[in-house]
Amino acid sequence: MTPPRFGVWAPVHGSRAAHHDPDEPDDASWARNRALVREAEALGYDSVLVAQHVVNPYDEARDQLETWTATAALAALTERIELIAAVKPGLFHPVVLAKMALQIEHISGGRFALNLVNAWNATEFEAAGLPFPAHDARYAYGAEWIALVSRLMRGERVSHEGRHFRVSDLQLRPADPYRARPRIYLGGESEPARALVADQGDVWFLNGQPIEAVRGLIADAAARPRHLPPLRFGLAAFVIARETDREARAEHARLLDLAGADAGMREASRTRVDPEVVMIRTMARTRAVGTNGGTAAGLVGSYATVAERLAAFHAAGIELFMLQFQPFEAEMRRFAERVRPLLA
């Protein structure tokens, strides 16, 4: 088994746990994201995920970083860290996106990856006059979209006549000089998402949840037919690590209380969500802080406790842990200095 890798979520829409924390600037600026990602690289983190939204999903009056231009800039400003840019297929034609992906792959020297997200925020599309099909239809669209993007990123000469796209004798150059193509991360845990992961994904990016649920998802993936190399697994999680379990639980309680001030904002955001999205139902099972499952993964405790739980997830098959913190910079440093050495 490969050693665990650790990444961070870029603060593309500000705070991940609570928007009214006096210790955390609710700052989604390019300046903050640039500084945070460069520090994460210096601290030894392996990856950064730059999520994609056109407008802030919690409050349209708040700032929202643009993913692909920011990732291109980060590619030129970093040297080692993997750069994962999320993309919603309904916002980009596959030919345009594949060309952009190959360019960032060149800028980064072979460190780029894309994270296919089949979208959950209906308002974001509707406000722009873009179609937002039903859940399974979005996955059917995404399957045709990513198959085309994958072939184009491989440098193939592509002719395609499908339900959604027509491409005639097209080849993108320059090709990828570092590998066959950039890595593809896929999220989602519905049946269409699982089928798409098995067919097209390199890494299945799971939402934070207890280890028993994660084992079940990994077993499901292992039972599916696959023509690509073995599937790898990542997990989203919010970390609260302290000297003692008691101190960590107290900080978790503090963040839960602070998140209560965001109740109106989050309730409004839920009205914009497709109720068929499995992530939303999974998150509703546990009172947690953070996005994409957050503390539901159970990484709350002493440094030793968090390290033990990470080791258990890794033994279950998780290779990449994509982590959230608050206050982000200070807790990112704490994890690097106090928890990661315990996993060496």
Side-chain angles (χ1 to χ4, degrees):
M1 182 180 292
T2 59
R5 295 192 299 137
F6 297 95
V8 297
W9 289 68
V12 297
H13 47 62
S15 303
R16 284 280 166 186
H19 292 275
H20 297 84
D21 187 349
D23 296 331
E24 167 85 324
D26 199 18
D27 180 1
S29 68
W30 159 243
R32 184 196 184 191
N33 277 270
R34 175 186 60 199
L36 189 150
V37 172
R38 294 180 75 178
E39 182 177 7
E41 181 176 61
L43 288 168
Y45 286 90
D46 302 288
S47 300
V48 58
L49 174 62
V50 188
Q52 186 185 45
H53 303 281
V54 175
V55 296
N56 189 297
Y58 302 110
D59 181 356
E60 64 182 9
R62 294 173 185 258
D63 292 344
Q64 176 66 47
L65 190 78
E66 199 290 306
T67 300
W68 282 71
T69 51
T71 303
L74 290 169
L77 293 170
T78 55
E79 297 179 355
R80 182 192 55 79
I81 197 166
E82 179 187 35
L83 303 161
I84 309 169
V87 60
K88 297 171 182 175
L91 299 179
F92 293 95
H93 191 281
V95 172
V96 175
L97 193 285
K99 182 65 175 175
M100 292 167 63
L102 284 172
Q103 187 64 66
I104 301 176
E105 175 82 341
H106 277 257
I107 296 168
S108 69
R111 295 180 288 120
F112 178 69
L114 64 87
N115 172 211
L116 181 69
V117 181
N118 279 295
W120 52 264
N121 189 345
T123 302
E124 181 176 54
F125 282 74
E126 292 163 357
L130 296 170
F132 190 77
H135 180 274
D136 289 5
R138 293 200 304 279
Y139 272 94
Y141 182 95
E144 184 178 344
W145 187 96
I146 194 61
L148 268 174
V149 168
S150 182
R151 292 180 63 194
L152 289 163
M153 291 194 305
R154 287 184 182 278
E156 295 181 23
R157 182 172 293 279
V158 175
S159 291
H160 171 85
E161 187 83 43
R163 179 177 180 183
H164 303 287
F165 304 106
R166 180 179 180 275
V167 178
S168 302
D169 195 30
L170 179 66
Q171 186 176 42
L172 299 181
R173 285 292 183 270
D176 191 336
Y178 304 101
R179 48 189 170 169
R181 60 155 171 75
R183 187 174 291 149
I184 296 173
Y185 288 76
L186 288 173
E189 294 163 18
S190 64
E191 178 54 36
R194 298 180 193 209
L196 182 55
V197 165
D199 187 53
Q200 296 286 344
D202 300 314
V203 184
W204 191 9
F205 189 34
L206 304 173
N207 294 305
Q209 52 201 294
I211 193 167
E212 296 80 9
V214 168
R215 288 194 182 107
L217 291 167
I218 290 174
D220 179 273
R224 293 174 183 260
R226 182 171 169 84
H227 68 281
L228 295 172
L231 187 64
R232 297 153 70 181
F233 301 92
L235 182 73
F238 193 105
V239 175
I240 302 175
R242 294 292 186 273
E243 290 285 351
T244 67
D245 290 337
R246 183 177 180 179
E247 289 175 278
R249 289 193 297 268
E251 175 60 12
H252 189 206
R254 185 187 79 88
L255 289 173
L256 283 169
D257 286 344
L258 283 169
D262 301 334
M265 183 191 308
R266 293 188 182 276
E267 183 60 34
S269 75
R270 280 192 284 271
T271 66
R272 301 188 283 269
V273 170
D274 179 355
E276 295 301 314
V277 174
V278 172
M279 176 184 74
I280 305 303
R281 298 200 295 268
T282 299
M283 290 173 61
R285 296 176 192 149
T286 308
R287 189 165 179 249
V289 296
T291 64
N292 295 78
T295 52
L299 301 184
V300 177
S302 69
Y303 304 132
T305 295
V306 171
E308 288 168 6
R309 290 174 182 168
L310 286 165
F313 275 116
H314 183 238
I318 298 297
E319 181 222 1
L320 174 64
F321 296 90
M322 195 61 68
L323 304 178
Q324 303 171 13
F325 306 98
Q326 189 162 325
F328 210 114
E329 289 85 344
E331 294 302 313
M332 177 176 73
R333 294 173 200 130
R334 186 197 298 269
F335 181 90
E337 294 166 1
R338 303 303 300 272
V339 178
R340 190 164 186 176
L342 300 178
L343 292 151

